Amino acid sequence: MAYDADETRRRILAAATAEFAEHGLAGARVDRIAAAAACSKERLYAHYGDKESLFTAVLNASFAHLGEAASADFASVEDFAVAVFDHLVDNPANQRLLAWARLEQRHDWAASFGVLESVRATSVGHLERLVGAAGSTDASAASAPSAEAPPWAPDDLFALVLAIASAWVQLPGLPDDQPRTPDVAAQRAIVRMAVGRLLD
């Protein structure tokens, strides 16, 4: 079978995501990542460089995935918030990666600026359009309550929406002998209602 470089990179990225989410940058082991990806450490280094560069690749991929979730043509700010919420629920490792990056303070944030700015610009663009902050040429739409802009800049609204969508991620975990199954449908409804009230 011919060597598939793209598939190898995909396996490495998936294995590294799991390893870094569990152990952070400092505690992660390259040999465990290579074993989980079914490749040699030499092959891993050839594709991604050192461990710090691999962590950056993993973190940036997680940001890019959030950007994809936020790139749809949403009908309302509430729909945007629910899409972000669903993405976070489906990808819990991404929030752990971000938490490790903030805690360890070893990540080169300049290396993530491009993808973060892309996510921000896409998200803020949606919010400007959806709340009428960019201005509307339709006078009747501009006068409708749903088109009134909230009293914050779009970047601030984005931060508030993101905070609401990620609220449950911030809660401490429970001991293994006290499992809790979240009611995702109820949480999704709360996100929609809370964001709607922001715009009242």
Side-chain angles (χ1 to χ4, degrees):
M1 180 181 296
Y3 172 68
D4 188 335
D6 288 340
E7 173 60 17
T8 299
R9 281 192 291 268
R10 186 201 65 77
R11 292 200 313 270
I12 293 171
L13 204 63
T17 297
E19 178 75 7
F20 286 130
E22 180 70 21
H23 302 287
L25 175 57
R29 294 279 301 275
V30 172
D31 55 348
R32 286 197 297 252
I33 296 172
C39 73
S40 66
K41 287 197 294 185
E42 291 73 20
R43 185 81 72 179
L44 184 154
Y45 287 130
H47 282 299
Y48 287 103
D50 58 20
K51 188 168 73 166
E52 287 75 13
S53 297
L54 179 56
F55 182 81
T56 295
V58 166
L59 193 61
N60 286 353
S62 76
F63 294 147
H65 293 159
L66 174 60
E68 292 169 7
S71 65
D73 187 16
F74 300 102
S76 67
V77 177
E78 292 90 335
D79 287 345
F80 172 84
V82 167
V84 172
F85 169 80
D86 286 340
H87 173 79
L88 297 177
V89 169
D90 293 339
N91 299 275
N94 291 357
Q95 285 298 103
R96 293 198 295 271
L97 289 167
L98 180 57
W100 278 116
R102 289 170 170 165
L103 178 65
E104 295 181 307
Q105 299 186 16
R106 292 177 55 183
H107 176 60
D108 178 11
W109 288 103
S112 296
F113 177 80
V115 65
L116 285 171
E117 176 56 21
S118 176
V119 174
R120 187 206 68 81
T122 298
S123 301
V124 169
H126 280 309
L127 295 174
E128 286 181 328
R129 173 178 62 82
L130 293 169
V131 302
S136 173
T137 57
D138 186 340
S140 62
S143 63
S146 61
E148 293 179 358
W152 314 293
D155 276 296
D156 295 327
L157 180 59
F158 176 46
L160 290 168
V161 169
L162 190 60
I164 292 171
S166 63
W168 290 272
V169 178
Q170 314 304 326
L171 294 176
L174 292 175
D176 292 340
D177 61 350
Q178 299 179 35
R180 176 181 59 193
T181 302
D183 187 338
V184 174
Q187 292 175 354
R188 185 182 294 110
I190 291 169
V191 168
R192 182 175 292 278
M193 182 180 296
V195 171
R197 289 182 177 177
L198 279 178
L199 306 176
D200 288 345

